[in-house]
Amino acid sequence: MTALAPAALQSAPASSASAGGGSGIRERSLTWMALPALLMFVAFGVIPLIGVLVLSFTTWDGIGEIRPSGLTSWKAVLTDPGLPHALWVTFLVMALTWIVQTPMSILLGAFLAGQQRYRELLAVLYFIPLLLSSAALAITYKALLDPNFGLGAGLHLPFLAQDWLGRPYLAVGVVIFVVSWQFIPFHALIYQGGVRQIPVTMYEAALIDGAGRVRQFFSITLPQLKYTIITSSTLMVVGSLTFFDLIFVLTAGGPGDATRVLALSMYITGFQANLMGPASAIACILVLVGLALALLLRRLGGDATSSQLEGA
Amino acid sequence: MDPSNTSRRGFLKLAGLAGLSASAVGTLAACGGGTQPTTPGAGGSAGGGGAAAGTGAASYWFLSGQPQQAIREATVKRFNTANPDAAIKYTEFQNDAYKTKIKTAIGAGQGPSIIWGWGGGGLREYVKNNQVEDLTSFFSENAAVKDRLFPSAFEAASVDGKIYAMPAETVTPIVFYWNKKVFDKVGVQPPQTWDDIMALVPKFNDAGIAPFSLGGQSRWTNMMWLEFLLDRIAGPEVFQNAFSGKAGAWSDPAVLDMLTKIQDLVKANGFIKGFSSITADSNADLALLYTGKAAMMVHGAWTYGTMKADGGDFVSGGNLGYGNFPAVTGGKGDPTNTVGNPAQYYSISAKASDAEKNTAKKFFSTSVLDDTEIKAWADSGSVAIVKGSNAQFSGADAPFLNFIYDTASNAKSFAQSWDQALPANAAETLLDNIAKLFQLSITPQEWVDNMNKVIGQ
């Protein structure tokens, strides 16, 4: 979204000479519109962030006084063997959810971009998982996967009666499956929009050159979706850092600490162990990782000012 | 059509909202001010329930969930009817939500006048931060209030010899349950010793029945095993050392013995398949026992009522067996010892006004655990912590209630649940390591090392 706005602004003066005065007014009104968002961001984003940063240099049990304690909390967090493990689980979930979601979302998106009626109906059906709350989804899947009372035991299907949430790697697999199941519709929607933006003329030209459907997909659709892929991947990757509700209800980080991602580790440290200092330090690490990943993905996108539609 | 017009309207709307939220903040601030002492003449003596002078409306937060919720409500309502000028306003919270909410509220100085709690480590944290009232003098002035309650209930209400909470409600020791139907089917007897347990495990597994039900995802469910087993092997002193902060307390050889026995039981498939993904909140662990998928279970006395309600004719048909945890041959612990929750605990906020404090004290001495409430607890299948409350037991539940009453009153030692006794930080490390122990992802020695690190922190 943010990548599109400057491109639109820049192309506006170039398109016609008389648009110059008009764009000045529009820019001023845009500044006005940014103000509420900016205020909200400062109030609910920047100020709490500063608070968390300050808290990470203190010792606080959530009840008593907040005492400054220098780097104690950071030392405790950075020397805790739980941190590398939580980071590993976080990146594992991030990578695997991306690998599962991206190809399926692109394919579904490209499919749904067609104009036929039945596709509209399918699009609506595909969209349903996204409308459900994560907590409700987690409770449902937990019940379905229960080894003693779940689907496997009910239907007498031994392969479904695995100890799904009780074995470390199976539990990670279930988390990735449920996350993908929930969010593929959302990303498919983004790709659907992306595919519809591709000029039909390109496909017509390819058809004349004798390219088949598969060739068209790999030579036109995929390259044209570059920025859509970056947008969707940014959402996936940064979003996966904050998976909390689903995992908390589904496995509570277990079995043992097999699915304890960074966000969960932060909650447990802060609100179950009453260690607000170390929890704030983990929160800072979470923010830094998120910012670094978002920046990295933007860099991967290359020079965002060059237009793909004209240049291709 | 005109974008600048819409944006201005949006901005005005936003400005209105900002004004609204500003006034909301004002209201909140006013609420905060309400906790200041405002009643004139309230500075007098804080003597217990006797003097009517200087009482005022007080607030009280407690847990929701039936049947306990209705009994708590009824007690407050009886008090309010008798004391219309000093009414108590209550707010109810769901268990997990309350644990977070009460900490935040007390930390922010917005807590209630009467704090419902679990005693032990949580209470100790409040005391350390001067958040709760010292009730020692209240209890010495009102000896009758104290003397009628179980003495074992006062340990978790005390910090450094001073009493900071009123023990209340019910006593819920951990009980060894079994399904009599399943035992008859397999043709075996309930275990008397740990060796019996280990001998029963393969017999039940061969019959396709899980030996023990366990809601392992909740972690404190696993902890009950450690509490009992350590007590049976070495008595209550080992945990007492760890609790009082003695360095290296977990290095006692009895701890390694206990942890090894637990892992042996896990390795022998002693627990139901998938136990580490079962939560106690869902009551699936109880269902496993009463549906006959599991033969035995170690769980709190509070599960009796649920099994009675949900298990069809399981309890009423006399199929539920219960007893104290089996002994360990050669163990030092007294087999009458028990563990669990000796009571619930009501504290008075130190931030409350004198009038509120007086109301709370009057509530404690006149309404909490009055005869009506004791009867209500007995009817719900629980044992109130009042001496002689067994006189109220009648009907089909009487044998179980008498068993709980006798277990609680005859126990040489009634240890509080470890996670309640320890401060939150140590409790979290404990639960985390217990989960890993049952997962077989750490060795007993690693468990000891990890736990020794947080002693006295």
Side-chain angles (χ1 to χ4, degrees):
Chain A
M1 290 253 295
T2 44
L4 289 173
L9 272 178
Q10 276 169 357
S11 62
S15 57
S16 77
S18 65
S23 88
I25 291 168
R26 197 181 298 165
E27 263 182 70
R28 208 182 304 143
S29 71
L30 278 176
T31 321
W32 269 107
M33 287 160 89
L35 199 65
L38 188 72
L39 283 176
M40 292 293 245
F41 181 65
V42 169
F44 296 105
V46 176
I47 292 175
L49 260 180
I50 294 171
V52 163
L53 188 67
V54 171
L55 263 189
S56 74
F57 295 103
T58 64
T59 300
W60 186 36
D61 62 3
I63 302 172
E65 276 175 51
I66 304 175
R67 289 188 310 275
S69 60
L71 291 170
T72 325
S73 298
W74 282 94
K75 272 185 200 146
V77 167
L78 294 175
T79 55
D80 178 13
L83 181 74
H85 181 266
L87 276 171
W88 156 246
V89 176
T90 308
F91 280 104
L92 187 73
V93 169
M94 183 188 292
L96 291 178
T97 48
W98 186 85
I99 289 171
V100 173
Q101 288 185 83
T102 304
M104 291 191 70
S105 306
I106 293 178
L107 287 174
L108 265 180
F111 170 73
L112 293 175
Q115 300 296 343
Q116 296 91 334
R117 259 289 145 84
Y118 74 94
R119 294 194 191 195
E120 300 281 328
L121 181 71
L122 286 178
V124 171
L125 290 179
Y126 289 152
F127 203 66
I128 289 175
L130 194 64
L131 302 174
L132 306 172
S133 103
S134 297
L137 273 184
I139 292 171
T140 311
Y141 270 100
K142 201 169 162 51
L144 287 175
L145 296 174
D146 188 297
N148 301 296
F149 299 107
L151 211 55
L155 300 175
H156 301 289
L157 296 170
F159 72 96
L160 267 179
Q162 304 288 331
D163 188 2
W164 292 107
L165 298 169
R167 295 190 184 279
Y169 285 100
L170 266 183
V172 174
V174 169
V175 166
I176 287 156
F177 172 80
V178 179
V179 165
S180 307
W181 186 80
Q182 187 184 11
F183 288 109
I184 282 177
F186 174 68
H187 294 284
L189 197 71
I190 296 180
Y191 285 116
Q192 181 193 7
V195 171
R196 284 196 174 152
Q197 295 283 322
I198 302 171
V200 189
T201 48
M202 287 186 166
Y203 290 101
E204 288 168 352
L207 208 61
I208 291 166
D209 292 342
R213 270 176 179 267
V214 176
R215 185 70 201 272
Q216 282 180 19
F217 176 77
F218 283 105
S219 301
I220 300 173
T221 313
L222 263 192
Q224 288 293 319
L225 282 178
K226 186 181 169 192
Y227 290 125
T228 318
I229 293 175
I230 289 166
T231 305
S232 154
S233 300
T234 310
L235 288 173
M236 274 185 212
V237 164
V238 178
S240 76
L241 281 178
T242 57
F243 284 149
F244 170 78
D245 41 3
L246 186 105
I247 300 181
F248 186 63
V249 179
L250 198 62
T251 67
D257 54 5
T259 54
R260 186 178 293 184
V261 292
L262 216 50
L264 203 58
S265 178
M266 171 185 80
Y267 174 82
I268 291 171
T269 311
F271 292 99
Q272 275 170 231
N274 284 2
L275 299 170
M276 291 297 171
S280 303
I282 297 176
C284 291
I285 294 172
L286 207 55
V287 170
L288 288 178
V289 172
L291 282 177
L293 283 169
L295 267 178
L296 186 78
L297 279 162
R298 289 217 55 176
R299 283 285 159 79
L300 281 180
D303 190 2
T305 52
S306 74
S307 170
Q308 265 213 308
L309 288 183
E310 320 291 326
Chain B
M1 193 66 210
D2 186 358
S4 67
N5 206 359
T6 20
S7 87
R8 181 174 301 163
R9 205 185 301 147
F11 178 73
L12 283 176
K13 211 185 279 175
L14 243 155
L17 270 175
L20 252 179
S21 60
S23 63
V25 169
T27 322
L28 276 176
C31 286
T35 55
Q36 303 296 320
T38 46
T39 317
S45 90
T55 55
S59 54
Y60 174 25
W61 290 4
F62 56 78
L63 286 202
S64 59
Q66 299 297 358
Q68 295 88 344
Q69 181 183 355
I71 298 174
R72 289 172 194 136
E73 284 171 10
T75 304
V76 175
K77 281 174 189 157
R78 279 198 307 282
F79 177 81
N80 288 349
T81 315
N83 304 277
D85 55 331
I88 292 175
K89 252 181 29 197
Y90 61 82
T91 314
E92 290 158 347
F93 296 89
Q94 195 258 334
N95 183 43
D96 287 348
Y98 178 73
K99 283 179 179 165
T100 313
K101 170 85 183 171
I102 188 76
K103 262 187 285 195
T104 325
I106 290 177
Q110 304 279 341
S113 342
I114 303 173
I115 302 162
W116 190 99
W118 292 267
L123 182 65
R124 187 175 285 262
E125 280 173 43
Y126 295 154
V127 172
K128 205 173 68 192
N129 292 304
N130 299 320
Q131 299 284 7
V132 289
E133 185 85 342
D134 181 355
L135 297 177
T136 318
S137 60
F138 166 73
F139 279 113
S140 55
E141 282 161 30
N142 297 273
V145 177
K146 188 184 177 195
D147 291 345
R148 70 193 194 105
L149 304 178
F150 286 173
S152 60
F154 278 89
E155 200 168 311
S158 310
V159 177
D160 302 328
K162 287 181 180 165
I163 305 171
Y164 289 93
M166 160 119 183
E169 302 192 1
T170 61
V171 58
T172 44
I174 310 300
V175 178
F176 191 92
Y177 293 105
W178 65 89
N179 185 327
K180 285 184 187 168
K181 252 198 261 180
V182 173
F183 270 74
D184 287 346
K185 198 172 114 192
V186 181
V188 287
Q189 293 300 311
Q192 301 297 317
T193 64
W194 183 259
D195 298 328
D196 289 352
I197 290 180
M198 293 307 285
L200 281 173
V201 166
K203 287 180 189 161
F204 282 116
N205 277 329
D206 289 347
I209 295 162
F212 284 98
S213 172
L214 181 66
Q217 188 176 312
S218 302
R219 305 188 297 180
W220 54 264
T221 41
N222 306 0
M223 178 188 68
M224 300 189 287
W225 279 88
L226 276 69
E227 291 169 352
F228 257 125
L229 202 50
L230 185 61
D231 186 277
R232 291 293 183 265
I233 293 173
E237 292 79 18
V238 179
F239 176 71
Q240 202 53 48
N241 287 341
F243 177 66
S244 52
K246 195 177 149 196
W250 294 107
S251 298
D252 192 293
V255 177
L256 267 187
D257 184 19
M258 174 269 290
L259 297 169
T260 312
K261 280 190 162 65
I262 294 277
Q263 287 203 329
D264 287 346
L265 185 61
V266 175
K267 285 176 194 158
N269 293 321
F271 298 104
I272 181 94
K273 182 180 165 191
F275 68 84
S276 51
S277 60
I278 299 171
T279 57
D281 297 339
S282 66
N283 291 331
D285 46 354
L286 312 183
L288 287 166
L289 183 75
Y290 62 67
T291 55
K293 290 183 192 232
M296 301 171 274
M297 180 175 75
V298 173
H299 216 313
W302 61 86
T303 58
Y304 177 83
T306 315
M307 286 194 278
K308 195 178 143 193
D310 298 349
D313 65 347
F314 177 66
V315 175
S316 57
N319 296 314
L320 176 70
Y322 45 83
N324 207 337
F325 194 85
V328 171
T329 315
K332 277 185 256 169
D334 193 300
T336 66
N337 286 354
T338 192
V339 300
N341 300 337
Q344 291 298 339
Y345 294 92
Y346 300 170
S347 305
I348 301 177
S349 168
K351 298 268 172 13
S353 69
D354 286 346
E356 288 168 340
K357 285 176 186 169
N358 287 346
T359 302
K361 284 173 181 167
K362 195 171 183 192
F363 177 63
F364 287 176
S365 55
T366 60
S367 295
V368 171
L369 288 175
D370 60 8
D371 288 342
T372 320
E373 191 186 329
I374 295 171
K375 181 86 176 82
W377 286 117
D379 290 344
S380 78
S382 308
V383 176
I385 56 155
V386 179
K387 292 175 188 165
S389 63
N390 52 350
Q392 304 269 17
F393 302 159
S394 61
D397 293 331
F400 180 78
L401 293 176
N402 276 314
F403 162 72
I404 296 298
Y405 184 89
D406 293 342
T407 305
S409 46
N410 297 339
K412 291 244 162 50
S413 147
F414 193 137
Q416 195 188 15
S417 292
W418 290 355
D419 59 339
Q420 306 290 1
L422 290 169
N425 174 19
E428 180 52 37
T429 313
L430 174 80
L431 292 171
D432 194 28
N433 279 288
I434 288 177
K436 287 178 184 162
L437 181 84
F438 273 71
Q439 209 53 38
L440 303 179
S441 61
I442 54 170
T443 63
Q445 188 58 51
E446 284 169 328
W447 192 96
V448 169
D449 295 343
N450 293 346
M451 287 309 299
N452 273 339
K453 270 186 223 157
V454 290
I455 283 180
Q457 267 188 12

